[in-house]
Amino acid sequence: MRILSPLALCLLLAAGPALAGSDFCDGGGDGPIEPEPPGAPGGGSGLASKADTDPRTSSCEVDMVMSLNGAERGIEYWRMRDLPFTTENWAVLKRTKQWPELPLEFKQISLTPVEEQTAKAGAAAARPAPPIGVPLSGGQSTFLEWSFVPADNKSEISRVLALTVFATDNGPILRADWMIPPRRNWSYTDKPATLPSVIESQSAALTDETQASTLSVSLLHDGDHVRVGIGQPVQQWLSFALPSGQWQPQRLRNGLLLGTPLAEGMGLKVNWPSLRARQLNQDPGDGGGGDARTPTGPRAD
């Protein structure tokens, strides 16, 4: 048996998460860069330069913008990012400063109504089609599913939160649908014959009185409720009740689930500011449900 050098062993251990499965993030983005200490080799100034990307601290980005050369860069806009709430992923999430919130930021929303696409799209055969269904109306995209199951992880019953963005003349609108799916592990991407039963829908504008360029949304599992926060700091909560406080997250999906067919340059680009690339993998590992966990306690506010 070949004995690995200490350096090789360290590199192998560091690559472990990447080898275990695909990461939830595309990486890239404009995440924080660790500054060089003053006097470091190369004239470290102690300041972080935004001209470089530090792979250890790169931000977590999900790029769903249609690009003809996306596949060449290894970032297919239709790729689904799955985050199973395994023991390993749960531990990573708990180390984030915003926990138990999972904030996300819209870096780009480009959704053109279906009627306007023909003139802008060019030859349909020249662009890859995403594996998503097409709604009756245009200018929308369902981009996130967050599923929940009882803590014993044995029952087939579940709940799903689905988030959809609508493009309007007054700015983007976010709709949150709280649903009972027909079966466990149901998803829009499966193009199921049976659709979920929608318990409740709530909507909110993704712009505030300051007309901030960054559109912020937060996800929160708060005891016996699942909440969607609008703004940073949160100005409005969309709240949905779980059957009991013993229900736990099972899977978070981020990708093009259902929506308007896209032309070049259309789609969504989302940043997860509390997460880092190459830390959350999609491999179900211990079964996708993890162990039975203590529910998150209610927030003081």
Side-chain angles (χ1 to χ4, degrees), residues 66-68 76-79 123-134 191 256 260-263:
M66 201 283 239
S67 173
L68 295 178
E76 300 89 350
Y77 75 103
W78 61 83
R79 181 170 66 86
R127 64 184 192 274
I132 60 176
V134 181
K191 298 182 179 179
L256 296 175
T260 306
L262 304 179

Side-chain angles (χ1 to χ4, degrees), residues 87-142:
T87 302
E88 295 80 5
N89 284 337
W90 192 270
V92 172
L93 294 173
K94 284 186 175 181
R95 290 197 295 268
T96 63
K97 293 181 180 179
Q98 291 87 348
W99 179 261
E101 290 183 24
L102 283 176
L104 61 96
E105 299 172 346
F106 286 99
K107 300 180 66 177
Q108 183 175 343
I109 298 178
S110 303
L111 299 173
T112 306
V114 171
E115 293 79 11
E116 300 178 20
Q117 287 184 42
T118 304
K120 298 181 180 180
R127 64 184 192 274
I132 60 176
V134 181
L136 296 178
S137 59
Q140 63 180 281
S141 179
T142 301

Side-chain angles (χ1 to χ4, degrees), residues 64-85:
M64 298 170 280
V65 177
M66 201 283 239
S67 173
L68 295 178
N69 64 355
E72 298 175 4
R73 296 183 291 112
I75 307 176
E76 300 89 350
Y77 75 103
W78 61 83
R79 181 170 66 86
M80 192 59 54
R81 289 81 172 176
D82 272 327
L83 174 58
F85 278 72

